[in-house]
Amino acid sequence: MLKLYNYWRSSSSYRVRIALNLKLIQYESIPVHLLRDGGEQHKPEYRALNPQEMVPLLVDGDFALGQSLAIFQYLEAQVPQPALVPEDSRDAARMWSFCQVIASDVQPLHNTRLLQYLDKELGVDEERRKTWVRHWIGLNLDALEQELQVREATPYCFGETPTYADCCLVPQLYAAERFGAVRDWPRLQAVATRCREHAGFIAAHPDLQVDAQKV
Ligand SMILES: N[C@@H](CCC(=O)N[C@@H](CS)C(=O)NCC(=O)O)C(=O)O
């Protein structure tokens, strides 16, 4: 069985949990507490698995893979159905672009280690750290909202069925709520409302994970 090293409140982990659920892939969830004892991701036994000391990490037998978008590509190749990539090549490219805005341009700017660095190394206080996070989430989700606004309205970001874009969007909106960064994003919010009714998204929610709330 696949193993997923993850943390309940990590939005990158949440993305992968959704994708696994949508693909109906059974997996063993192994919690890695990102804060306890200085962070379990930094323990030697975890570093041996993932030198980047981050979650998520997917383990398939002797194959270990970090980075949520790479994990999506692996899952898509291993279990093609249901497809989570649009058939049309331009839609597929746009879908990956949407994912990358979240995975490359937004989430890294509110990642645990970055916020810890701002706090401990640069002495940035909590209020200014929140201002930082709200700024970058707001700027990028405004852009994604505009991107969806010019497309025909569909239940999910890129059509009638979920894709990896939806796997990225819902956790990012969850993070936006956590950091008080929510603005008026009608299309993003309509899609997220639809996703939140889907069993695959529901089961992946942070609050339903075994390690939830144990901060
Ligand atoms: N680009 C990576 C980001 C992974 C990431 O940022 N993981 C965070 C949790 S969301 C983490 O492990 N943080 C631990 C740390 O910062 O020490 C991905 O998409 O998987």
Side-chain angles (χ1 to χ4, degrees), residues 14-23 166-167 170-171 200-201 204:
Y14 187 5
R15 284 175 210 150
V16 175
R17 292 195 300 262
I18 295 169
L20 286 162
N21 292 346
L22 294 177
K23 292 270 184 199
D166 304 287
C167 299
V170 169
F201 287 82

Side-chain angles (χ1 to χ4, degrees), residues 2 4 15-27 58 75 84:
L2 292 181
L4 182 69
R15 284 175 210 150
V16 175
R17 292 195 300 262
I18 295 169
L20 286 162
N21 292 346
L22 294 177
K23 292 270 184 199
L24 303 177
I25 299 172
Q26 300 283 329
Y27 67 96
L58 185 78
L75 295 179
L84 299 182

Side-chain angles (χ1 to χ4, degrees), residues 144-198:
L144 292 181
E145 171 68 23
Q146 278 182 42
E147 171 146 359
L148 288 197
Q149 290 274 354
V150 299
R151 298 178 59 86
E152 183 197 344
T154 49
Y156 297 98
C157 288
F158 287 86
E160 301 297 319
T161 56
T163 64
Y164 292 111
D166 304 287
C167 299
C168 288
L169 175 64
V170 169
Q172 191 55 53
L173 287 175
Y174 169 83
E177 276 171 33
R178 248 186 89 197
F179 289 107
V182 175
R183 297 185 188 170
D184 189 25
W185 297 305
R187 284 289 290 273
L188 298 180
Q189 277 145 353
V191 167
T193 301
R194 177 66 176 248
C195 291
R196 290 187 193 114
E197 293 164 357
H198 189 301

Side-chain angles (χ1 to χ4, degrees), residues 44-55:
E45 53 275 24
Y46 187 72
R47 195 183 315 126
L49 282 174
N50 185 1
Q52 213 193 356
E53 303 174 26
M54 283 181 157
V55 290

